[in-house]
Amino acid sequence: MKRYTRTGDTGETSLIGSRVDKHHPQIEAMGHLDELNSHIGLAIAQQTDESLREQLTKIQHDLFDLGSELMYTDAPPKTVDLSIVTELEQWMDEWEKSCPELVRFILPGGSVAAASLHVARSVCRRVERDLTALGVADRQLPYFNRLSDYLFTVARYANVVAGVPDQEYARGATVFQPKRKKE
């Protein structure tokens, strides 16, 4: 089987039940979901903790399951099994034990491993907005809402593992200015 089909060359693609424009809101949501999954894959490649790698891999499988629900034009996606939401909560509770107390907002970043998880978190928030715009948020939103919290928590954990402190946000903080060479 060849990888290319040429069926999308005219700006349309297939959903189960119809052909739609590639900028259709369902296609947008599926693209953002794919982007989220890709960022999680990048984050997995940067993690040293095997338990975290296993959890993130399971999440990738969950995202494929949830994304397949968006393939249908005639039926709304199934409601998420809340056991996977509870699982995210339990994992978060465990990772949080290793993190310093959060007393201020933090900036996304720190170690490369943490920064990649923060990028995944922000893409996850975009998926949440897509689902709301599609009118199916009530069916899948609890999972994505919890997933973004999970990604925030494990980003903080990744900084702990790397020995890099979270950078706290401070209103009006001066921006880093490199020293200029003396002339």
mmCIF file of all heavy atoms in Angstrom, residues 9-42:
data_model
loop_
_atom_site.group_PDB
_atom_site.id
_atom_site.type_symbol
_atom_site.label_atom_id
_atom_site.label_comp_id
_atom_site.label_asym_id
_atom_site.label_seq_id
_atom_site.Cartn_x
_atom_site.Cartn_y
_atom_site.Cartn_z
ATOM 1 N N ASP A 9 -5.547 16.342 -2.322
ATOM 2 C CA ASP A 9 -4.893 17.366 -3.130
ATOM 3 C C ASP A 9 -5.790 18.549 -3.464
ATOM 4 O O ASP A 9 -5.314 19.595 -3.893
ATOM 5 C CB ASP A 9 -4.353 16.767 -4.439
ATOM 6 C CG ASP A 9 -3.178 15.824 -4.206
ATOM 7 O OD1 ASP A 9 -2.699 15.726 -3.049
ATOM 8 O OD2 ASP A 9 -2.747 15.165 -5.174
ATOM 9 N N THR A 10 -7.094 18.396 -3.305
ATOM 10 C CA THR A 10 -8.029 19.480 -3.642
ATOM 11 C C THR A 10 -8.467 20.279 -2.420
ATOM 12 O O THR A 10 -9.349 21.130 -2.527
ATOM 13 C CB THR A 10 -9.279 18.910 -4.342
ATOM 14 O OG1 THR A 10 -9.934 18.009 -3.443
ATOM 15 C CG2 THR A 10 -8.905 18.201 -5.629
ATOM 16 N N GLY A 11 -7.865 19.992 -1.255
ATOM 17 C CA GLY A 11 -8.213 20.750 -0.052
ATOM 18 C C GLY A 11 -9.313 20.125 0.774
ATOM 19 O O GLY A 11 -9.851 20.766 1.674
ATOM 20 N N GLU A 12 -9.673 18.896 0.441
ATOM 21 C CA GLU A 12 -10.678 18.174 1.220
ATOM 22 C C GLU A 12 -10.048 16.917 1.810
ATOM 23 O O GLU A 12 -9.027 16.432 1.313
ATOM 24 C CB GLU A 12 -11.867 17.764 0.337
ATOM 25 C CG GLU A 12 -12.742 18.912 -0.082
ATOM 26 C CD GLU A 12 -13.975 18.425 -0.819
ATOM 27 O OE1 GLU A 12 -13.971 17.299 -1.360
ATOM 28 O OE2 GLU A 12 -14.952 19.190 -0.856
ATOM 29 N N THR A 13 -10.673 16.398 2.836
ATOM 30 C CA THR A 13 -10.248 15.149 3.454
ATOM 31 C C THR A 13 -11.482 14.395 3.922
ATOM 32 O O THR A 13 -12.591 14.932 3.895
ATOM 33 C CB THR A 13 -9.255 15.414 4.615
ATOM 34 O OG1 THR A 13 -8.646 14.196 5.001
ATOM 35 C CG2 THR A 13 -9.941 16.073 5.800
ATOM 36 N N SER A 14 -11.283 13.181 4.357
ATOM 37 C CA SER A 14 -12.422 12.337 4.738
ATOM 38 C C SER A 14 -12.583 12.232 6.233
ATOM 39 O O SER A 14 -11.615 12.037 6.968
ATOM 40 C CB SER A 14 -12.248 10.925 4.174
ATOM 41 O OG SER A 14 -12.327 10.943 2.774
ATOM 42 N N LEU A 15 -13.818 12.358 6.645
ATOM 43 C CA LEU A 15 -14.257 11.924 7.960
ATOM 44 C C LEU A 15 -15.152 10.721 7.694
ATOM 45 O O LEU A 15 -15.595 10.523 6.557
ATOM 46 C CB LEU A 15 -15.054 13.021 8.679
ATOM 47 C CG LEU A 15 -14.258 14.231 9.160
ATOM 48 C CD1 LEU A 15 -15.197 15.320 9.659
ATOM 49 C CD2 LEU A 15 -13.274 13.836 10.248
ATOM 50 N N ILE A 16 -15.429 9.933 8.682
ATOM 51 C CA ILE A 16 -16.320 8.796 8.475
ATOM 52 C C ILE A 16 -17.730 9.351 8.312
ATOM 53 O O ILE A 16 -18.297 9.921 9.237
ATOM 54 C CB ILE A 16 -16.214 7.787 9.633
ATOM 55 C CG1 ILE A 16 -14.795 7.220 9.670
ATOM 56 C CG2 ILE A 16 -17.242 6.665 9.467
ATOM 57 C CD1 ILE A 16 -14.476 6.351 10.843
ATOM 58 N N GLY A 17 -18.235 9.268 7.119
ATOM 59 C CA GLY A 17 -19.568 9.775 6.829
ATOM 60 C C GLY A 17 -19.597 10.875 5.802
ATOM 61 O O GLY A 17 -20.635 11.144 5.223
ATOM 62 N N SER A 18 -18.455 11.534 5.527
ATOM 63 C CA SER A 18 -18.463 12.604 4.527
ATOM 64 C C SER A 18 -17.053 13.102 4.247
ATOM 65 O O SER A 18 -16.113 12.790 4.961
ATOM 66 C CB SER A 18 -19.334 13.773 4.997
ATOM 67 O OG SER A 18 -18.751 14.392 6.108
ATOM 68 N N ARG A 19 -16.962 13.915 3.196
ATOM 69 C CA ARG A 19 -15.718 14.629 2.900
ATOM 70 C C ARG A 19 -15.922 16.063 3.345
ATOM 71 O O ARG A 19 -17.002 16.629 3.186
ATOM 72 C CB ARG A 19 -15.396 14.566 1.408
ATOM 73 C CG ARG A 19 -15.061 13.146 1.019
ATOM 74 C CD ARG A 19 -14.123 12.932 -0.126
ATOM 75 N NE ARG A 19 -13.037 13.801 -0.434
ATOM 76 C CZ ARG A 19 -11.774 13.605 -0.020
ATOM 77 N NH1 ARG A 19 -11.479 12.605 0.783
ATOM 78 N NH2 ARG A 19 -10.816 14.421 -0.424
ATOM 79 N N VAL A 20 -14.878 16.630 3.915
ATOM 80 C CA VAL A 20 -14.960 17.995 4.441
ATOM 81 C C VAL A 20 -13.711 18.761 4.045
ATOM 82 O O VAL A 20 -12.681 18.172 3.690
ATOM 83 C CB VAL A 20 -15.120 18.001 5.980
ATOM 84 C CG1 VAL A 20 -16.429 17.340 6.408
ATOM 85 C CG2 VAL A 20 -13.945 17.338 6.665
ATOM 86 N N ASP A 21 -13.799 20.081 4.131
ATOM 87 C CA ASP A 21 -12.629 20.920 3.888
ATOM 88 C C ASP A 21 -11.580 20.648 4.965
ATOM 89 O O ASP A 21 -11.916 20.352 6.121
ATOM 90 C CB ASP A 21 -13.012 22.400 3.938
ATOM 91 C CG ASP A 21 -13.878 22.820 2.765
ATOM 92 O OD1 ASP A 21 -13.775 22.188 1.690
ATOM 93 O OD2 ASP A 21 -14.645 23.798 2.920
ATOM 94 N N LYS A 22 -10.317 20.800 4.593
ATOM 95 C CA LYS A 22 -9.236 20.533 5.536
ATOM 96 C C LYS A 22 -9.208 21.545 6.689
ATOM 97 O O LYS A 22 -8.565 21.298 7.699
ATOM 98 C CB LYS A 22 -7.885 20.510 4.820
ATOM 99 C CG LYS A 22 -7.724 19.252 3.983
ATOM 100 C CD LYS A 22 -6.305 19.081 3.511
ATOM 101 C CE LYS A 22 -6.181 17.753 2.780
ATOM 102 N NZ LYS A 22 -4.796 17.412 2.492
ATOM 103 N N HIS A 23 -9.920 22.655 6.523
ATOM 104 C CA HIS A 23 -9.999 23.624 7.614
ATOM 105 C C HIS A 23 -11.284 23.451 8.444
ATOM 106 O O HIS A 23 -11.579 24.288 9.301
ATOM 107 C CB HIS A 23 -9.884 25.055 7.080
ATOM 108 C CG HIS A 23 -11.015 25.433 6.160
ATOM 109 N ND1 HIS A 23 -10.958 25.213 4.805
ATOM 110 C CD2 HIS A 23 -12.206 26.012 6.404
ATOM 111 C CE1 HIS A 23 -12.081 25.635 4.255
ATOM 112 N NE2 HIS A 23 -12.867 26.124 5.210
ATOM 113 N N HIS A 24 -12.007 22.378 8.220
ATOM 114 C CA HIS A 24 -13.218 22.069 8.988
ATOM 115 C C HIS A 24 -12.850 21.998 10.478
ATOM 116 O O HIS A 24 -11.784 21.492 10.830
ATOM 117 C CB HIS A 24 -13.787 20.735 8.500
ATOM 118 C CG HIS A 24 -15.112 20.380 9.093
ATOM 119 N ND1 HIS A 24 -15.250 19.813 10.338
ATOM 120 C CD2 HIS A 24 -16.367 20.518 8.587
ATOM 121 C CE1 HIS A 24 -16.524 19.615 10.591
ATOM 122 N NE2 HIS A 24 -17.226 20.035 9.539
ATOM 123 N N PRO A 25 -13.717 22.476 11.367
ATOM 124 C CA PRO A 25 -13.399 22.476 12.805
ATOM 125 C C PRO A 25 -13.031 21.095 13.381
ATOM 126 O O PRO A 25 -12.176 21.006 14.260
ATOM 127 C CB PRO A 25 -14.669 23.019 13.454
ATOM 128 C CG PRO A 25 -15.305 23.860 12.392
ATOM 129 C CD PRO A 25 -14.982 23.175 11.090
ATOM 130 N N GLN A 26 -13.636 20.035 12.867
ATOM 131 C CA GLN A 26 -13.269 18.701 13.358
ATOM 132 C C GLN A 26 -11.856 18.328 12.938
ATOM 133 O O GLN A 26 -11.113 17.728 13.710
ATOM 134 C CB GLN A 26 -14.251 17.633 12.840
ATOM 135 C CG GLN A 26 -15.378 17.354 13.810
ATOM 136 C CD GLN A 26 -16.357 16.368 13.219
ATOM 137 O OE1 GLN A 26 -17.296 16.762 12.536
ATOM 138 N NE2 GLN A 26 -16.138 15.090 13.479
ATOM 139 N N ILE A 27 -11.493 18.716 11.727
ATOM 140 C CA ILE A 27 -10.141 18.434 11.242
ATOM 141 C C ILE A 27 -9.141 19.268 12.031
ATOM 142 O O ILE A 27 -8.056 18.791 12.384
ATOM 143 C CB ILE A 27 -10.041 18.702 9.720
ATOM 144 C CG1 ILE A 27 -11.048 17.834 8.941
ATOM 145 C CG2 ILE A 27 -8.624 18.488 9.227
ATOM 146 C CD1 ILE A 27 -10.889 16.330 9.154
ATOM 147 N N GLU A 28 -9.497 20.508 12.323
ATOM 148 C CA GLU A 28 -8.631 21.357 13.160
ATOM 149 C C GLU A 28 -8.394 20.698 14.514
ATOM 150 O O GLU A 28 -7.261 20.611 14.988
ATOM 151 C CB GLU A 28 -9.264 22.740 13.368
ATOM 152 C CG GLU A 28 -9.159 23.669 12.204
ATOM 153 C CD GLU A 28 -7.770 24.263 12.046
ATOM 154 O OE1 GLU A 28 -7.109 24.566 13.061
ATOM 155 O OE2 GLU A 28 -7.346 24.409 10.897
ATOM 156 N N ALA A 29 -9.461 20.231 15.134
ATOM 157 C CA ALA A 29 -9.335 19.589 16.452
ATOM 158 C C ALA A 29 -8.474 18.335 16.361
ATOM 159 O O ALA A 29 -7.617 18.098 17.233
ATOM 160 C CB ALA A 29 -10.724 19.249 17.003
ATOM 161 N N MET A 30 -8.677 17.552 15.322
ATOM 162 C CA MET A 30 -7.881 16.333 15.162
ATOM 163 C C MET A 30 -6.413 16.676 14.917
ATOM 164 O O MET A 30 -5.511 15.988 15.412
ATOM 165 C CB MET A 30 -8.444 15.486 14.020
ATOM 166 C CG MET A 30 -9.782 14.869 14.390
ATOM 167 S SD MET A 30 -10.683 14.156 13.005
ATOM 168 C CE MET A 30 -9.470 13.153 12.220
ATOM 169 N N GLY A 31 -6.153 17.737 14.184
ATOM 170 C CA GLY A 31 -4.779 18.176 13.954
ATOM 171 C C GLY A 31 -4.115 18.632 15.237
ATOM 172 O O GLY A 31 -2.943 18.327 15.487
ATOM 173 N N HIS A 32 -4.852 19.359 16.051
ATOM 174 C CA HIS A 32 -4.291 19.806 17.334
ATOM 175 C C HIS A 32 -4.068 18.627 18.274
ATOM 176 O O HIS A 32 -3.105 18.612 19.043
ATOM 177 C CB HIS A 32 -5.192 20.862 17.968
ATOM 178 C CG HIS A 32 -5.247 22.123 17.175
ATOM 179 N ND1 HIS A 32 -6.351 22.947 17.146
ATOM 180 C CD2 HIS A 32 -4.339 22.710 16.355
ATOM 181 C CE1 HIS A 32 -6.117 23.974 16.355
ATOM 182 N NE2 HIS A 32 -4.904 23.851 15.861
ATOM 183 N N LEU A 33 -4.942 17.654 18.202
ATOM 184 C CA LEU A 33 -4.770 16.447 19.005
ATOM 185 C C LEU A 33 -3.518 15.682 18.553
ATOM 186 O O LEU A 33 -2.745 15.185 19.382
ATOM 187 C CB LEU A 33 -6.015 15.573 18.885
ATOM 188 C CG LEU A 33 -6.183 14.426 19.853
ATOM 189 C CD1 LEU A 33 -6.081 14.881 21.290
ATOM 190 C CD2 LEU A 33 -7.533 13.772 19.624
ATOM 191 N N ASP A 34 -3.299 15.620 17.259
ATOM 192 C CA ASP A 34 -2.097 14.991 16.722
ATOM 193 C C ASP A 34 -0.850 15.762 17.171
ATOM 194 O O ASP A 34 0.169 15.171 17.544
ATOM 195 C CB ASP A 34 -2.182 14.935 15.195
ATOM 196 C CG ASP A 34 -1.001 14.236 14.554
ATOM 197 O OD1 ASP A 34 -0.544 13.204 15.082
ATOM 198 O OD2 ASP A 34 -0.529 14.722 13.508
ATOM 199 N N GLU A 35 -0.936 17.080 17.147
ATOM 200 C CA GLU A 35 0.176 17.916 17.604
ATOM 201 C C GLU A 35 0.470 17.664 19.083
ATOM 202 O O GLU A 35 1.634 17.526 19.479
ATOM 203 C CB GLU A 35 -0.159 19.394 17.364
ATOM 204 C CG GLU A 35 0.951 20.339 17.721
ATOM 205 C CD GLU A 35 0.578 21.800 17.507
ATOM 206 O OE1 GLU A 35 -0.508 22.092 16.956
ATOM 207 O OE2 GLU A 35 1.389 22.656 17.905
ATOM 208 N N LEU A 36 -0.574 17.561 19.890
ATOM 209 C CA LEU A 36 -0.408 17.254 21.310
ATOM 210 C C LEU A 36 0.302 15.916 21.477
ATOM 211 O O LEU A 36 1.252 15.790 22.254
ATOM 212 C CB LEU A 36 -1.769 17.233 22.009
ATOM 213 C CG LEU A 36 -1.796 16.702 23.444
ATOM 214 C CD1 LEU A 36 -0.899 17.526 24.354
ATOM 215 C CD2 LEU A 36 -3.239 16.694 23.958
ATOM 216 N N ASN A 37 -0.147 14.909 20.742
ATOM 217 C CA ASN A 37 0.446 13.588 20.847
ATOM 218 C C ASN A 37 1.920 13.620 20.427
ATOM 219 O O ASN A 37 2.770 12.962 21.032
ATOM 220 C CB ASN A 37 -0.346 12.588 19.996
ATOM 221 C CG ASN A 37 -0.341 11.199 20.594
ATOM 222 O OD1 ASN A 37 0.547 10.813 21.330
ATOM 223 N ND2 ASN A 37 -1.363 10.443 20.260
ATOM 224 N N SER A 38 2.237 14.401 19.414
ATOM 225 C CA SER A 38 3.623 14.535 18.967
ATOM 226 C C SER A 38 4.487 15.203 20.031
ATOM 227 O O SER A 38 5.628 14.795 20.271
ATOM 228 C CB SER A 38 3.686 15.326 17.658
ATOM 229 O OG SER A 38 3.007 14.633 16.640
ATOM 230 N N HIS A 39 3.951 16.229 20.667
ATOM 231 C CA HIS A 39 4.712 16.893 21.739
ATOM 232 C C HIS A 39 4.927 15.953 22.924
ATOM 233 O O HIS A 39 5.983 15.984 23.554
ATOM 234 C CB HIS A 39 4.009 18.175 22.188
ATOM 235 C CG HIS A 39 4.240 19.322 21.267
ATOM 236 N ND1 HIS A 39 5.480 19.904 21.076
ATOM 237 C CD2 HIS A 39 3.393 20.005 20.458
ATOM 238 C CE1 HIS A 39 5.387 20.886 20.206
ATOM 239 N NE2 HIS A 39 4.121 20.960 19.811
ATOM 240 N N ILE A 40 3.943 15.142 23.205
ATOM 241 C CA ILE A 40 4.118 14.166 24.281
ATOM 242 C C ILE A 40 5.198 13.153 23.876
ATOM 243 O O ILE A 40 6.036 12.764 24.703
ATOM 244 C CB ILE A 40 2.786 13.494 24.647
ATOM 245 C CG1 ILE A 40 1.896 14.530 25.360
ATOM 246 C CG2 ILE A 40 3.005 12.274 25.540
ATOM 247 C CD1 ILE A 40 0.498 14.068 25.656
ATOM 248 N N GLY A 41 5.219 12.750 22.609
ATOM 249 C CA GLY A 41 6.279 11.868 22.134
ATOM 250 C C GLY A 41 7.653 12.492 22.308
ATOM 251 O O GLY A 41 8.609 11.821 22.734
ATOM 252 N N LEU A 42 7.776 13.771 22.022
ATOM 253 C CA LEU A 42 9.036 14.481 22.226
ATOM 254 C C LEU A 42 9.395 14.519 23.707
ATOM 255 O O LEU A 42 10.545 14.312 24.084
ATOM 256 C CB LEU A 42 8.945 15.899 21.652
ATOM 257 C CG LEU A 42 10.183 16.774 21.794
ATOM 258 C CD1 LEU A 42 11.380 16.167 21.065
ATOM 259 C CD2 LEU A 42 9.884 18.177 21.271
#
